[in-house]
Amino acid sequence: MHCNWLLGLALTVLLLLQLQLPGGEAKRQTRRHTRRHHRPHQISLRRETRNEDRFKLLQYEIPALLAKFKIRVRRGPLRLMSTQIEADESTVKLPLVNAYNTEYFGNITIGSNQTFKILFDTASANLWVPSIQCPPESCLHLQRYDNTLSSSYRANGSAFQIQYATRNNQPTILKGFLSTDTVKLAGLEIKEQTFAEITTLPPNVFHKSNFDGIFGLGFKEIAVDGVTPPMYNIIEQELIAQPTFSFYLNRDNTGKIDPSGGKLLLGPSDPTLYSGCMTFVPLSKVGYWQITVASIELGDNQLCKKCEAVVDVGTSLIVAPPAVLRSINAQLGLTVADKREGVYTLPCSRLPSLPKLTFNIGRRDFVLSPSDYIVRFNNVCVSGFTSLEEGSAELEDDSGTDYNNLWVLGDVFMGPFYMEFDMEYKRIGIAPKI
């Protein structure tokens, strides 16, 4: 331990009114003791609180994850799981918007003062925004990038395509082309950043989204078309003092737009935002931010040992293996009758009787209380657990990864903690947040 601190695409939360759901290598050179910044830059996350359709789009969470991880669903027998310092002056802080405790986004600028609300995502590695060429019926409510208005724009033109969700076994595709321009966030200017201009965008998913595009924070190994991810250029251009970034997420959903929805910190961690010592755990697989969790327990029930887990700020809930989700639901007293729009609801009065959830990471226990893993929307409570596939199916990708036993630790997990992502040492740091 060291003492220093497709999408969740369109993941707005389910507001139930009368119980109805509305509608290469990143170089960490020692910078020769130079610091580029002399005061903290902060990117605040605001909390957006429109009253309509808060819950509905959670139904797209699992299709988005299946696509983001490039998972194929192969029907067949399900394989069951075994039940076994001081704040650095050079830190850049970007405020984040918290939309109903399900998605976190902040502002970036591309080219000549074209500003976009961007969802930050640790399980993808590309930056994309809607293009001015995207038809109004799909993109009218979104900010669209117009390269003719930017003096720093450089044409690329290569075709770009990314699958972000799958519905009814039919892929839903974003299409467009690559462009290069200057990208600005929290006072940093990323020169010559290649990104995608999206010209074809499925309106059935994005017409109620709270953000315009996606900013991937994953490794280059998962970047579509080999495009250099933004964090690599930030590091290469020495815009930050060390090749790390951190998330501090505000989970206090008050139902109004709030500039204190959280922070994305670029560079050294801020120890004033967490307590005690940072616990670091190495990545078990590079590409996604994947780690090995020693054990996960719900009360006295051990859910797994040596569990593989991807930490993903772009996912709202905790995604458990299908067999484990059934065990969790049984322990929480949830049945199929409690399932609405892809999530499980329960009476909020039951929270005091629910068990704590314990993750043992790096020989240290990190505990979530029921109020942490149950997401509350006014008088409606939603279980913070889901799975990629609840039926009899096998999940795999082209590299043979066993997704039947993979966990995805989304915002429900990250909420109580300060999380540091170290691109040089390929590790994640975690500490209780203040």
Side-chain angles (χ1 to χ4, degrees):
M1 294 192 295
H2 296 69
C3 290
N4 74 68
W5 161 19
L6 185 24
L7 327 198
L9 268 154
L11 300 176
T12 50
V13 244
L14 149 68
L15 175 69
L16 289 178
L17 297 175
Q18 300 175 353
L19 288 182
Q20 292 186 358
L21 306 171
E25 168 89 11
K27 302 174 184 174
R28 183 188 187 168
Q29 301 174 352
T30 32
R31 315 282 185 244
R32 298 170 178 76
H33 305 290
T34 61
R35 292 291 169 85
R36 290 294 183 102
H37 304 282
H38 303 289
R39 59 184 179 85
H41 299 269
Q42 182 169 320
I43 303 172
S44 299
L45 301 179
R46 293 175 300 162
R47 183 180 305 109
E48 184 165 348
T49 57
R50 286 184 322 203
N51 288 329
E52 68 276 11
D53 302 304
R54 297 185 181 180
F55 252 102
K56 189 173 182 180
L57 291 179
L58 274 174
Q59 65 185 299
Y60 298 112
E61 174 122 321
I62 294 311
L65 282 169
L66 290 170
K68 184 158 61 174
F69 291 123
K70 302 180 178 66
I71 301 172
R72 296 188 301 270
V73 178
R74 182 157 53 90
R75 301 294 168 183
L78 179 67
R79 293 174 294 195
L80 297 180
M81 262 197 92
S82 172
T83 54
Q84 5 186 25
I85 311 173
E86 295 180 355
D88 194 297
E89 65 178 6
S90 62
T91 301
V92 177
K93 299 179 183 179
L94 176 72
L96 298 177
V97 175
N98 173 5
Y100 322 126
N101 288 344
T102 61
E103 59 188 23
Y104 292 83
F105 51 93
N107 289 337
I108 69 169
T109 300
I110 302 179
S112 304
N113 299 319
Q114 298 183 59
T115 301
F116 301 87
K117 293 190 294 185
I118 295 295
L119 181 77
F120 294 97
D121 181 23
T122 51
S124 65
N126 291 82
L127 168 62
W128 63 261
V129 295
S131 171
I132 193 66
Q133 298 180 33
C134 186
E137 58 267 24
S138 297
C139 296
L140 185 61
H141 72 293
L142 301 174
Q143 178 65 33
R144 295 180 291 172
Y145 171 76
D146 187 346
N147 58 47
T148 65
L149 301 179
S150 175
S151 60
S152 52
Y153 162 76
R154 185 164 59 84
N156 179 301
S158 299
F160 178 86
Q161 176 174 301
I162 185 170
Q163 179 177 324
Y164 75 94
T166 303
R167 302 187 66 194
N168 302 321
N169 296 319
Q170 296 298 318
T172 305
I173 303 294
L174 276 74
K175 296 181 180 180
F177 57 92
L178 297 178
S179 293
T180 300
D181 208 334
T182 298
V183 175
K184 302 175 185 178
L185 72 165
L188 302 182
E189 289 196 8
I190 313 171
K191 305 291 186 183
E192 298 289 309
Q193 177 62 51
T194 298
F195 62 97
E197 290 191 49
I198 298 301
T199 57
T200 302
L201 193 91
N204 59 329
V205 173
F206 282 90
H207 72 293
K208 292 183 184 296
S209 68
N210 294 295
F211 55 88
D212 302 311
I214 301 288
F215 191 110
L217 291 164
F219 289 90
K220 65 180 186 298
E221 284 82 355
I222 62 171
V224 175
D225 295 335
V227 175
T228 301
M231 273 301 299
Y232 283 76
N233 282 330
I234 289 174
I235 295 165
E236 181 67 28
Q237 295 172 28
E238 300 188 355
L239 301 179
I240 54 178
Q242 72 180 44
T244 60
F245 63 89
S246 307
F247 278 98
Y248 179 96
L249 304 181
N250 187 333
R251 301 292 289 172
D252 182 18
N253 181 14
T254 61
K256 64 181 181 181
I257 296 177
D258 186 348
S260 60
K263 298 178 181 67
L264 165 61
L265 299 92
L266 303 171
S269 283
D270 183 350
T272 68
L273 297 177
Y274 63 86
S275 62
C277 296
M278 188 84 75
T279 297
F280 289 101
V281 58
L283 298 186
S284 58
K285 184 177 181 180
V286 175
Y288 303 109
W289 290 93
Q290 182 171 330
I291 60 174
T292 301
V293 180
S295 66
I296 304 175
E297 297 179 354
L298 184 60
D300 296 329
N301 180 21
Q302 185 174 86
L303 302 176
C304 68
K305 289 185 65 176
K306 295 184 179 178
C307 333
E308 288 300 301
V310 172
V311 181
D312 181 18
V313 73
T315 295
S316 300
L317 307 179
I318 295 174
V319 181
V324 178
L325 179 65
R326 292 193 288 272
S327 175
I328 292 171
N329 285 347
Q331 194 170 352
L332 298 182
L334 300 175
T335 67
V336 175
D338 299 308
K339 190 173 183 180
R340 294 181 172 90
E341 298 290 344
V343 294
Y344 292 87
T345 62
L346 69 162
C348 296
S349 60
R350 292 183 48 207
L351 263 67
S353 65
L354 298 181
K356 65 182 181 180
L357 178 65
T358 304
F359 296 80
N360 186 269
I361 300 173
R363 299 192 179 95
R364 183 178 179 184
D365 285 344
F366 294 91
V367 179
L368 273 64
S369 68
S371 61
D372 292 323
Y373 67 77
I374 300 296
V375 185
R376 185 165 184 161
F377 309 103
N378 294 332
N379 296 321
V380 176
C381 285
V382 177
S383 170
F385 300 97
T386 187
S387 72
L388 290 173
E389 180 69 28
E390 292 187 50
S392 178
E394 294 184 356
L395 306 174
E396 61 183 20
D397 64 8
D398 292 335
S399 64
T401 301
D402 178 14
Y403 286 97
N404 291 286
N405 287 339
L406 183 73
W407 293 69
V408 180
L409 307 182
D411 301 334
V412 166
F413 168 78
M414 294 177 64
F417 308 115
Y418 182 103
M419 307 285 298
E420 179 185 282
F421 299 78
D422 191 324
M423 298 197 69
E424 180 184 26
Y425 291 139
K426 296 178 174 56
R427 63 183 184 178
I428 290 176
I430 178 173
K433 75 180 187 184
I434 296 176

